[in-house]
Each structure stands twice: as C-alpha cells, then as structure tokens.
Amino acid sequence: MIYLHDDHIRDIGIDWTKLTDIIRDVVALKDKGDSVHLLKPYLRFRDQANRIIAMPAFVGGTIEMSGIKWIASFPNNSRLGLPRAHNTIILNRPTTGEPLAFIHSGLLNGLRTAAVSGVMLSHYIAARQPADLRICVIGWGPIGRLHLDMCIALFGEKIKRVTVYDLKGVVPSTIPAAVKGITDITSDWRSGYRSANVIATCTVSAQRYIDEAPPKGALLLNISLRDYKPQSVAKVKGIIVDDWREVCRENTDIEQLHLLYDLQESGVLTLADIVLRNGLAAIAAEESVYFNPMGLGVFDIALAGYYWKEALQMDKGIRLESSRSV
C-alpha cells in the first residue's frame, strides 16, 4: 500500500476543474444507486465538544473505490498549536478488500469541501448568470482559504470584489496575489455579508451569530453549518442539502429550521436535483440559495482514489510492505 500526506497531495497538484468533475460524477453515481455511504457515527468522549467521525463509503462507476474516512475534530486544538481536524483515509480494493492506501491529509479534507462548493457555485452561476461575483469569506482558516483559491481558479475572471473576515483578524500577506488588489479585510462580517452575492461561512464558531436575512439572490455556502440564527434564514425558500438524513441532525442550521420552523425533507432540494435536474430553475432569481453540505464519504473516497491513482502514475508517496508469515 501507499502512504500519502499533505506534501504528496501538493506535489501531485490541485486541479480544481478535475476535482469538481469528480464530484459531479459521484453525484450522478449516488443518484442512480451505484454508491453506498452509511449514516456517519460521531464518537464523543470526555470533552463533548470533540468528536471523531467515521465515514465508510463505496463508489462505483469508473471510480470503483471503497474505504473509510476517519476524521477527528477537536475545536480547542488551536490552543495547543495543533490543527483543529486530523483527517485520515484508508482505501480498500472493492473486489478483494486489500488495503491500497493510507492517507493522512487535512488538505484532502479541505479539497473535498471546496470542490463540492465549486460544483454548487458553478450551477448557481449557470442558472443566475450574475454580471460579476462579489465574494464574502467569513472564517479565514484552511477551509476559507481553499474556497477562495477554488473561486479564483474556476471563476477568477468574474470576481469583482472579495471581502474577508475572521474573528481573530486576517494577515494581509495571506490574501492570494490574484485578488489582493480587490480584497477588503473587514473587522465586521456584516460589511461583506450585506454586499456579497456569494457568501462562504467557514468558521469554527461556538455559537450562531448571523442575525440578518441574506442579500436577495445570494448563494450562501454554509460550510460550517452552524453560523445562521434560525430566524435569519427562516424565510429562505431555496434550501439545498447534500443528504437530508446526514444534515438534519447534530445541531446544524438545517436541524434548527426543522425543529423551530417545521422544515421537512420535502421542502429542500438535493445537490443531485441541482446537478442532474436543473433544480435552480425552480427558484426565483430574487430568492437566496442556501446550501448546507454535511459532507459525504462518497466524495472523500472518490477524491482519495483519484490521488491514489495519480500517486502510482507519478511515483509519489511512501510504499509500505507487510511481511507474511507462512
């Protein structure tokens, strides 16, 4: 088997067009039943703010890969100088169960997250045809930065303005050179939120803080899932999820809308509805689009499989061998 880490992923390269194409393929495979992902369990012990999540999955089609993602999220790790999340993936050959790769990469987790957002954003742009993109990134950690990188790579020519906010402040040198001249670093999330048509919430906020209705027609990429006070999005009609069973739990914004405002599965669209059935056409142009992706193991396994294949072809990674006793 092969061991891969962040540096190997970077060496192989980040092709956002390829990554978003893989996500689209998985959406189609999931929709026709050629994939499996179990409702992921949350392992909690001692400090209940911490969790380790198991995400086993199989993806068929030309991807043909199985495995499990095992990701630990410890919000207070920053106090120790450690990443909040530790992401590991084991890939298994679907026909024999043989282990093919062990991947320890927080970067890969971020790539999956931003690639799913990229698919949603591309369909939003195709349906709404905005003259330009005014992007607001709330939360300037690894996930927020990867979202802006994705936007630049896929839609850079359409970006008119970028606003970045983080509770801990933003170091100007971390802004990508491609948008440095059109980026505002703000001390109040509201300033970017009110003027944007694409809003990505990528925080680790301990409590909900967005208390204003979103701008008309804006795309809300609710990556961190727990930033919007229920009343701020209670009237939003264009609600999109990756999977209702996954996202309507664990104190997500979707679960709060379900409990407090009786939001039901029948009242939302799925990512498959958007990608495969032109679902955005049914949402009026002045309506906001509220995308809540819980994160599905099928996407993680598919992208990990892609990097495994690339590692073999490019001779990247560390080969591991096991001794066999007779």
Side-chain angles (χ1 to χ4, degrees):
M1 63 188 296
I2 296 177
Y3 172 72
L4 300 173
H5 54 59
D6 280 353
D7 288 343
H8 298 130
I9 302 299
R10 293 189 186 94
D11 288 345
I12 293 168
I14 300 171
D15 182 338
W16 287 108
T17 298
K18 179 63 177 177
L19 298 184
T20 51
D21 283 347
I22 292 171
I23 298 300
R24 287 189 183 88
D25 289 344
V26 176
V27 169
L29 290 168
K30 172 176 162 57
D31 193 64
K32 72 177 186 178
D34 196 11
S35 72
V36 178
H37 66 92
L38 309 182
L39 191 68
K40 52 193 179 187
Y42 286 65
L43 174 64
R44 287 189 169 91
F45 50 91
R46 295 177 178 162
D47 186 347
Q48 295 300 296
N50 302 328
R51 58 192 184 271
I52 310 180
I53 308 170
M55 300 167 64
F58 161 76
V59 185
T62 59
I63 295 171
E64 192 66 14
M65 187 55 66
S66 58
I68 186 168
K69 175 179 178 178
W70 179 242
I71 182 165
S73 179
F74 283 53
N76 293 321
N77 271 1
S78 60
R79 301 174 185 173
L80 305 173
L82 296 172
R84 170 194 170 103
H86 298 277
N87 179 49
T88 54
I89 295 175
I90 297 175
L91 297 179
N92 298 82
R93 193 183 303 278
T95 53
T96 64
E98 297 170 90
L100 300 173
F102 179 84
I103 304 172
H104 179 201
S105 175
L107 174 59
L108 188 54
N109 179 60
L111 293 179
R112 182 270 292 166
T113 305
V116 172
S117 293
V119 171
M120 184 69 239
L121 178 53
S122 67
H123 284 270
Y124 169 83
I125 291 172
R128 297 290 177 87
Q129 295 290 313
D132 52 52
L133 298 180
R134 302 178 306 281
I135 299 170
C136 174
V137 180
I138 302 176
W140 193 236
I143 301 298
R145 298 183 193 190
L146 283 172
H147 271 75
L148 186 54
D149 288 344
M150 174 273 294
C151 290
I152 293 169
L154 296 180
F155 315 107
E157 73 286 350
K158 295 187 71 68
I159 299 176
K160 179 180 180 180
R161 204 77 202 165
V162 176
T163 306
V164 177
Y165 168 79
D166 193 283
L167 188 63
K168 296 180 179 179
V170 175
V171 178
S173 61
T174 61
I175 302 299
V179 294
K180 192 175 289 288
I182 56 172
T183 297
D184 297 316
I185 298 172
T186 181
S187 59
D188 186 347
W189 62 267
R190 292 174 180 82
S191 60
Y193 178 82
R194 292 168 177 170
S195 60
N197 58 3
V198 177
I199 300 164
T201 47
C202 307
T203 77
V204 293
S205 179
Q207 57 187 8
R208 292 172 169 86
Y209 57 92
I210 295 179
D211 54 5
E212 296 185 7
K216 288 185 178 180
L219 172 62
L220 315 178
L221 299 171
N222 190 24
I223 310 309
S224 37
L225 295 170
R226 300 167 184 88
D227 289 60
Y228 289 83
K229 293 187 176 182
Q231 64 270 24
S232 69
V233 286
K235 295 182 180 180
V236 173
K237 295 182 175 62
I239 300 177
I240 320 295
V241 302
D242 51 4
D243 185 282
W244 174 264
R245 285 194 320 139
E246 285 285 7
V247 77
C248 189
R249 62 193 185 114
E250 289 293 326
N251 190 35
T252 63
D253 293 346
I254 291 295
E255 185 184 33
Q256 289 300 302
L257 289 176
H258 171 65
L259 294 174
L260 299 177
Y261 292 93
D262 198 32
L263 178 68
Q264 301 295 326
E265 184 175 4
S266 59
V268 306
L269 297 174
T270 66
L271 188 57
D273 292 326
I274 303 305
V275 173
L276 304 175
R277 293 179 279 277
N278 194 27
L280 286 177
I283 303 173
E286 66 273 11
E287 290 287 345
S288 301
V289 177
Y290 188 36
F291 181 46
N292 289 260
M294 189 67 153
L296 305 181
V298 286
F299 297 137
D300 292 282
I301 296 304
L303 291 191
Y306 162 74
Y307 276 102
W308 168 72
K309 291 176 183 177
E310 291 295 297
L312 290 179
Q313 293 179 4
M314 300 171 66
D315 195 26
K316 301 292 184 181
I318 300 170
R319 266 59 178 180
L320 304 176
E321 296 184 3
S322 63
S323 60
R324 295 183 179 180
S325 59
V326 178

